[in-house]
Amino acid sequence: MRSLRGTSVSASVLLLSAMVLITGCNRGHSADVVATVNGHPIMRADMEKAYQEQLGEAQQQQQQTPSPDQADSLRLNVLQSLINEEIVEQRAAKMNLTATNDEVDAKLKEMKAPYTDDQFEERLKANHTTLDDLKHNLRRTLTINKLLNKEINSKITVTDADVASYYNQHKAEFNFIETEYHLAQIQVTGIPSAQPGNLQNSKATNDAEAKKKIQVLKNQLDSGADFGVLAMNYSEQPETAPNGGDIGFVPESRLRTDPAVYAAVTKLKAGEYTDIMPIVDPQSKKTVGYAIYKLLSREPAGQRDLSDPRVQQAIRQQLQDGRSQLLKGAYFEMLRDQAKIENFFAEQIFKNDAH
């Protein structure tokens, strides 16, 4: 749900923050409130809680102590995510689509089913979260999914003519000389970049921060969050993030060049995703980032005809997903444009640094 800097707050983060500044910032407000969305306050305590979760154990154990500027930069990113979540949740509430207690309890029961109570508690501890936090995340995820299904997915129609047209234009894509895997990914690296390529402008700048960010995203996936939405908002692969992390079909021979990824992906069923996988630089053999892969489909070798139900389903799903991702990106931008946002924390940072 989405970065630390070695020196002063980066220009890109300040620019992002400035975009949500509202005139009239001299009006008084409680020191406990760091921002408002359509008049609804976002509390400093919530920002600090999310900040500590993002920072993780490294800071708590003093293995990595951020400078004041680094800490404020990360808080700005955290607050931006809280603002975006509040915008979407307000829209859902307005449409009476907020997830109910029964829906949250049903999802929680589904998640707990494979485990004993003790095993489930251990998983919560391993993910550094509480049952109340999990319920909160589930409610938010279910609410967002209900909103997107109502506002976007229910309005997308892919006709037989659309499928046939795509097949005729891309027939060669369905002639596989070997098994191919249609994959999507969420990628996070510790390499600084001014343009991470995601909607949130979210970027890790070192290994510790990358580890914490990818773990937060994995926790959200485990809570039922949409893989494509997370990729659009937080994946740091500019070429694939705008498409919901879709990297297309990967031949088995190329997938085998990374034995760990190959082993993980080939165990998946369509719709499942891997655990967190390290991204290793082939030259230095050092870990430079982390990724989570989702298997969209597995296609054996050979030419596929349009009459093949698998071809029709693959094309229909691809067209559906492509339109859905496009509309989701536009929808989130529209909601942000319509919201009245006051980011008091961003104003404070700007005033303190703009000497």
Side-chain angles (χ1 to χ4, degrees):
M1 25 128 148
R2 91 166 284 224
S3 59
L4 297 177
R5 299 292 179 191
T7 56
S8 62
V9 178
S10 70
S12 60
V13 172
L14 285 175
L15 180 59
L16 174 64
S17 302
M19 291 172 64
V20 297
L21 295 182
I22 302 296
T23 58
C25 60
N26 291 326
R27 290 175 297 170
H29 62 274
S30 169
D32 294 332
V33 177
V34 289
T36 61
V37 178
N38 297 322
H40 187 279
I42 295 177
M43 308 306 294
R44 185 176 297 273
D46 292 331
M47 180 184 72
E48 289 299 323
K49 181 179 180 181
Y51 165 78
Q52 291 297 336
E53 290 176 353
Q54 190 83 320
L55 198 58
E57 291 183 336
Q59 189 270 344
Q60 296 170 3
Q61 297 173 0
Q62 296 184 345
Q63 295 174 354
Q64 178 201 10
T65 303
S67 69
D69 282 350
Q70 288 176 325
D72 282 344
S73 178
L74 181 56
R75 285 187 176 94
L76 282 171
N77 282 336
V78 165
L79 180 55
Q80 186 65 32
S81 295
L82 294 176
I83 288 171
N84 290 331
E85 290 170 5
E86 179 62 29
I87 291 171
V88 175
E89 289 178 359
Q90 285 187 21
R91 176 74 171 195
K94 185 177 181 180
M95 299 182 67
N96 198 29
L97 292 173
T98 301
T100 65
N101 290 338
D102 287 344
E103 289 170 333
V104 173
D105 290 341
K107 185 63 179 178
L108 180 62
K109 183 178 180 180
E110 178 186 327
M111 292 179 63
K112 293 176 67 176
Y115 309 100
T116 66
D117 289 342
D118 289 342
Q119 289 173 333
F120 194 73
E121 285 294 328
E122 287 300 318
R123 284 182 63 84
L124 290 177
K125 291 179 181 179
N127 291 329
H128 309 291
T129 191
T130 66
L131 184 59
D132 286 342
D133 288 338
L134 177 59
K135 287 183 176 181
H136 174 78
N137 291 336
L138 286 174
R139 189 181 305 278
R140 181 186 63 220
T141 297
L142 291 171
T143 296
I144 292 174
N145 287 344
K146 289 174 68 175
L147 178 66
L148 294 179
N149 286 333
K150 174 72 173 180
E151 292 278 72
I152 296 175
N153 295 332
S154 64
K155 301 176 181 178
I156 297 175
T157 300
V158 178
T159 67
D160 291 343
D162 293 332
V163 173
S165 176
Y166 183 92
Y167 178 83
N168 291 330
Q169 294 177 35
H170 303 85
K171 189 173 182 178
E173 293 181 7
F174 299 95
N175 184 15
F176 302 141
I177 61 174
E178 60 179 313
T179 299
E180 297 201 6
Y181 298 82
H182 189 187
L183 301 176
Q185 70 170 182
I186 295 173
Q187 178 175 306
V188 176
T189 76
I191 303 172
S193 171
Q195 296 180 328
N198 54 58
L199 292 178
Q200 300 296 335
N201 199 35
S202 172
K203 184 71 190 79
T205 58
N206 55 55
D207 184 67
E209 191 178 338
K211 284 181 179 178
K212 301 309 172 186
K213 177 180 174 179
I214 198 69
Q215 186 62 62
V216 168
L217 296 176
K218 177 63 163 54
N219 293 347
Q220 292 187 31
L221 286 173
D222 291 342
S223 297
D226 183 272
F227 192 98
V229 171
L230 288 183
M232 288 177 65
N233 281 283
Y234 301 106
S235 179
E236 299 175 10
Q237 175 51 265
E239 289 78 16
T240 62
N243 298 321
D246 192 335
I247 60 179
F249 286 92
V250 180
E252 185 170 70
S253 58
R254 179 149 61 92
L255 194 61
R256 284 181 179 274
T257 60
D258 190 326
V261 173
Y262 174 77
V265 167
T266 53
K267 293 177 182 177
L268 300 177
K269 297 178 181 178
E272 296 180 341
Y273 53 87
T274 68
D275 202 346
I276 297 170
M277 308 292 297
I279 301 173
V280 180
D281 182 272
Q283 303 298 325
S284 65
K285 306 300 181 183
K286 294 182 178 179
T287 298
V288 294
Y290 305 90
I292 302 171
Y293 298 90
K294 180 179 180 179
L295 178 64
L296 302 178
S297 67
R298 180 188 286 104
E299 296 295 335
Q303 175 68 53
R304 303 293 186 273
D305 294 326
L306 180 57
S307 59
D308 188 331
R310 294 173 302 173
V311 171
Q312 295 184 26
Q313 178 58 31
I315 295 175
R316 197 175 299 277
Q317 190 64 52
Q318 184 167 332
L319 293 176
Q320 175 89 14
D321 290 346
R323 293 177 187 176
S324 178
Q325 298 301 340
L326 174 63
L327 291 178
K328 285 174 185 176
Y331 185 67
F332 291 146
E333 288 296 329
M334 180 189 71
L335 293 185
R336 279 193 286 266
D337 289 343
Q338 293 175 352
K340 181 181 178 182
I341 302 167
E342 293 180 290
N343 190 327
F344 305 123
F345 185 70
E347 294 171 6
Q348 174 189 333
I349 295 297
F350 187 79
K351 288 179 181 178
N352 290 344
D353 276 27
H355 299 304

